[in-house]
Amino acid sequence: MLGERPICEGSSSGLAITADQQQAAQPQTQTQTQVGAGVPLSRYESQKRRDWNTFGQYLKNQTPPVSLSNCNCNHVLEFLRYLDQFGKTRVHSHGCVFFGQPEPPAPCPCPLKQAWGSLDALIGRLRAAYEEHGGSPEGNPFGNGAIRTYLREVKESQAKARGIPYKKKKKKRNNQMMMNKQQLPNNNSNNNDTNAPLTTHIP
């Protein structure tokens, strides 16, 4: 826990919320009826709370300690790099014989890192938690352009190292969706009653 350390400044009033105040206010900010009924938090909400506490503890352990109200995108980038030591995704170096192979036939000494998808999801949760704790969207360090650039570089480098064609898969899905969308009106042009429910499956 973060003790009495200010968690974050408000977007306009400059209000600082302590960890104890955060816990007392949570039943109002998150599904009050569920908390009152004793229903546990969703998996997403529980993970978001753990991530927020972990980031706060990381800042507290810095020398000198950094308060959450004073953190910036540089602290976030350092935190993401720090998490690599706990990663489970092997990312091959350029000199590795398995570079670019999605399923290597044998082990290698290349380092384990956090997968891009895990980091991307983590930043999404922390970005939401920052604003839930009073941070302004404009000053959200987790939404900074430098964070997006870092995540994009990690995604591209891991795709090359592990032979994962992210862009090709995305294009294939989009093309399939476009084909389905074009076929639906033709297949159901004589039946107006079925058009509405069918089109609801198309984003």
Side-chain angles (χ1 to χ4, degrees):
M1 298 302 295
L2 304 179
E4 296 298 327
R5 183 177 302 278
I7 288 187
C8 196
E9 295 182 354
S11 56
S12 58
S13 62
L15 176 66
I17 304 175
T18 64
D20 293 338
Q21 292 170 335
Q22 167 201 348
Q23 290 181 345
Q26 267 183 344
Q28 285 79 30
T29 57
Q30 299 176 4
T31 59
Q32 183 173 3
T33 56
Q34 288 187 351
V35 175
V39 178
L41 293 174
S42 67
R43 182 178 179 182
Y44 171 79
E45 292 296 337
S46 297
Q47 185 64 57
K48 182 170 59 176
R49 178 187 292 181
R50 289 194 296 269
D51 293 338
W52 182 250
N53 290 337
T54 299
F55 180 69
Q57 189 63 44
Y58 169 81
L59 293 180
K60 187 178 180 179
N61 292 338
Q62 299 305 295
T63 306
V66 179
S67 66
L68 280 160
S69 58
N70 292 326
C71 75
N72 55 44
C73 65
N74 290 326
H75 297 114
V76 178
L77 289 173
E78 292 170 0
F79 177 63
L80 295 178
R81 296 187 183 102
Y82 161 80
L83 291 177
D84 269 338
Q85 64 183 304
F86 308 108
K88 297 180 180 180
T89 299
R90 193 169 302 281
V91 181
H92 304 291
S93 62
H94 285 278
C96 179
V97 293
F98 301 136
F99 183 84
Q101 295 187 28
E103 298 180 2
C108 68
C110 293
L112 295 174
K113 295 185 178 182
Q114 293 287 346
W116 164 80
S118 298
L119 295 178
D120 187 58
L122 170 68
I123 288 299
R125 291 190 296 267
L126 290 175
R127 183 175 183 176
Y130 180 87
E131 296 178 14
E132 288 174 4
H133 288 83
S136 65
E138 295 79 11
N140 194 327
F142 302 100
N144 189 280
I147 306 301
R148 293 192 295 271
T149 299
Y150 176 80
L151 291 176
R152 183 172 64 250
E153 291 175 350
V154 169
K155 178 180 179 180
E156 292 175 353
S157 64
Q158 290 190 4
K160 292 178 181 178
R162 302 175 62 214
I164 302 174
Y166 284 116
K167 293 182 179 180
K168 290 183 179 180
K169 288 185 177 181
K170 185 175 181 181
K171 288 181 179 180
K172 184 177 181 180
R173 285 197 301 268
N174 289 341
N175 291 339
Q176 186 64 36
M177 290 170 61
M178 289 298 295
M179 290 176 61
N180 292 340
K181 188 174 182 180
Q182 292 174 356
Q183 292 174 357
L184 285 175
N186 294 332
N187 294 339
N188 300 281
S189 59
N190 297 326
N191 190 349
N192 293 330
D193 293 336
T194 59
N195 283 342
L198 284 172
T199 55
T200 56
H201 297 290
I202 300 176

